[in-house]
Amino acid sequence: MTTIENSTSQSRKISTAAKLQNSGSSFRRWGKKHPFIRYGLPMVSLTVFGALGLGHLLQGSKDIAKVKDDQEWEILETRKALSRTGPIEAYKPKNISLEEELKALQEKVDINNYEYKRIPKPNEGKSG
């Protein structure tokens, strides 16, 4: 390496360091010149992005609530349908007439042969 190359590489290093230092100080000056950029812009952006974020979160909770409501509505509708028509082909009542029911009941209970049993009074059972 020659001394010319060394001096050019050193001058480049120095110039880049100076540029970085210069840009930092100019940024500070820029903030002092325009206080809105330093204080107002972060506050406005925080407010706007915060409102957008909250809106997104609220929309998500509304979507979840709507899905739950839809599921509950479907359950209620199926219950109503089942109570109106009964389960599909699960219960088929037999066609029985009242006369047949009366005959079946008379066969079970014989009203001519009975045994008399006295029912005790409410105060009889207690010793007082």
Side-chain angles (χ1 to χ4, degrees):
M1 281 194 164
T2 61
T3 56
I4 297 172
E5 290 174 359
N6 283 339
S7 65
T8 56
S9 65
Q10 285 178 351
S11 66
R12 285 182 191 158
K13 289 178 185 177
I14 292 171
S15 65
T16 55
K19 285 180 185 175
L20 287 174
Q21 194 175 18
N22 230 359
S23 66
S25 64
S26 69
F27 181 72
R28 277 189 230 126
R29 256 188 270 127
W30 197 36
K32 287 180 183 176
K33 257 187 185 177
H34 309 285
F36 175 77
I37 293 173
R38 189 170 186 179
Y39 301 109
L41 192 63
M43 181 62 84
V44 170
S45 63
L46 181 69
T47 305
V48 169
F49 290 129
L52 290 174
L54 281 175
H56 187 70
L57 288 174
L58 286 175
Q59 187 61 40
S61 66
K62 284 180 186 178
D63 291 343
I64 291 171
K66 184 179 178 185
V67 167
K68 283 185 181 178
D69 285 344
D70 290 344
Q71 288 175 348
E72 288 176 7
W73 183 256
E74 287 175 13
I75 290 170
L76 286 175
E77 285 299 312
T78 54
R79 281 188 186 164
K80 284 181 186 176
L82 286 175
S83 65
R84 265 187 258 123
T85 61
I88 301 169
E89 296 185 20
Y91 175 70
K92 293 184 180 179
K94 299 176 184 175
N95 292 330
I96 300 175
S97 66
L98 288 176
E99 289 84 18
E100 291 174 3
E101 284 292 317
L102 180 62
K103 287 179 186 175
L105 187 63
Q106 284 176 347
E107 288 174 4
K108 284 183 184 176
V109 179
D110 186 16
I111 60 170
N112 294 326
N113 292 332
Y114 63 92
E115 189 179 314
Y116 178 75
K117 291 184 182 177
R118 186 171 170 264
I119 300 174
K121 293 180 183 176
N123 293 334
E124 251 180 50
K126 296 179 184 176
S127 59

